[in-house]
Amino acid sequence: MERAEMIEAVKAEMPERRWIHTEGVMATSILLAERFGGDPERAELASILHDVAKFWATDRLAAVIADNGLGDDWLAYDKELWHAPAGAWEAKTRFGVDDEDVLNAIRFHTSGRGGMSKLEKIVWLADYIEPGRDFPGVDNIRSLSEKSLDSAILAGLEATIGVLMQRGRLIYPLTIEARNDLLRSLNKE
């Protein structure tokens, strides 16, 4: 599918404000890819598609996850996570994406995971710090992202985990694994 056609199809899946977010993620992922030696085209592709399922009905998300063997463990955690594996499935089945790294960047853009590839890290961080994001601490994480991809993601994961703990919410195990993996890696440096 052509890029312009894909963009129009994804835009049709979300409200205008979310498309503005997606454009911010696209631009930020390209910038991060250039800064940290990633592939800007693959980063942009994953960014275009990362929220394609964000506004699907909860029952549709649950059915896609359950019926397609995407990992029932997702369904035991916050519904805010579900659009990521469903979006990766949609990217593959509807949009013909067969690059596993791009699909994983979509699949894990909400949770992270241990052993994330550079592309996964770029898309995760771009989603977290794109220019439209405005929450306490985001400017610090943006500053960190100018020097270290891993340090910025670690700070973002720790902030997210802290908020989830304050709210008494379950924390998806891959998020903890992502945090621990980055901490181990940074401590080796």
Side-chain angles (χ1 to χ4, degrees):
M1 178 179 288
E2 295 290 325
R3 180 183 179 277
E5 186 181 358
M6 181 182 296
I7 285 173
E8 288 307 310
V10 172
K11 279 174 77 171
E13 294 281 348
M14 60 186 63
E16 179 64 21
R17 67 179 165 72
R18 197 60 181 193
W19 178 249
I20 292 168
H21 160 76
T22 298
E23 289 178 317
V25 176
M26 290 162 58
T28 304
S29 71
I30 291 167
L31 179 113
L32 292 172
E34 290 169 348
R35 181 177 295 155
F36 294 109
D39 183 330
E41 287 182 22
R42 291 168 72 224
E44 182 187 44
L45 175 60
S47 297
I48 290 168
L49 293 166
H50 84 284
D51 275 349
V52 69
K54 177 82 174 171
F55 292 92
W56 290 4
T58 302
D59 58 343
R60 181 179 180 193
L61 290 168
V64 165
I65 291 168
D67 296 347
N68 294 288
L70 303 183
D72 291 340
D73 60 323
W74 292 100
L75 299 176
Y77 291 89
D78 197 310
K79 293 174 189 161
E80 286 297 312
L81 298 172
W82 298 3
H83 73 282
W89 176 84
E90 183 80 345
K92 184 173 188 167
T93 60
R94 178 177 173 196
F95 295 99
V97 175
D98 60 2
D99 181 330
E100 268 313 303
D101 203 19
V102 170
L103 294 171
N104 283 335
I106 297 165
R107 185 176 293 116
F108 300 110
H109 83 270
T110 56
S111 63
R113 68 174 178 154
M116 285 192 289
S117 70
K118 185 178 287 186
L119 180 61
E120 289 174 71
K121 290 176 180 181
I122 287 167
V123 173
W124 189 95
L125 186 58
D127 184 44
Y128 201 84
I129 66 167
E130 63 92 3
R133 296 286 197 192
D134 184 22
F135 55 85
V138 72
D139 288 332
N140 177 56
I141 296 168
R142 286 184 183 121
S143 293
L144 288 170
S145 78
E146 293 176 13
K147 296 182 175 98
S148 170
L149 185 62
D150 287 356
S151 293
I153 295 170
L154 178 62
L157 286 166
E158 288 183 343
T160 298
I161 290 166
V163 167
L164 291 171
M165 289 175 64
Q166 283 179 332
R167 294 179 181 170
R169 306 280 286 277
L170 293 175
I171 301 169
Y172 192 58
L174 290 182
T175 302
I176 301 291
E177 288 178 24
R179 182 255 180 202
N180 290 345
D181 183 57
L182 287 167
L183 189 60
R184 280 187 201 102
S185 176
L186 287 166
N187 283 338
K188 285 181 187 175
E189 291 178 2

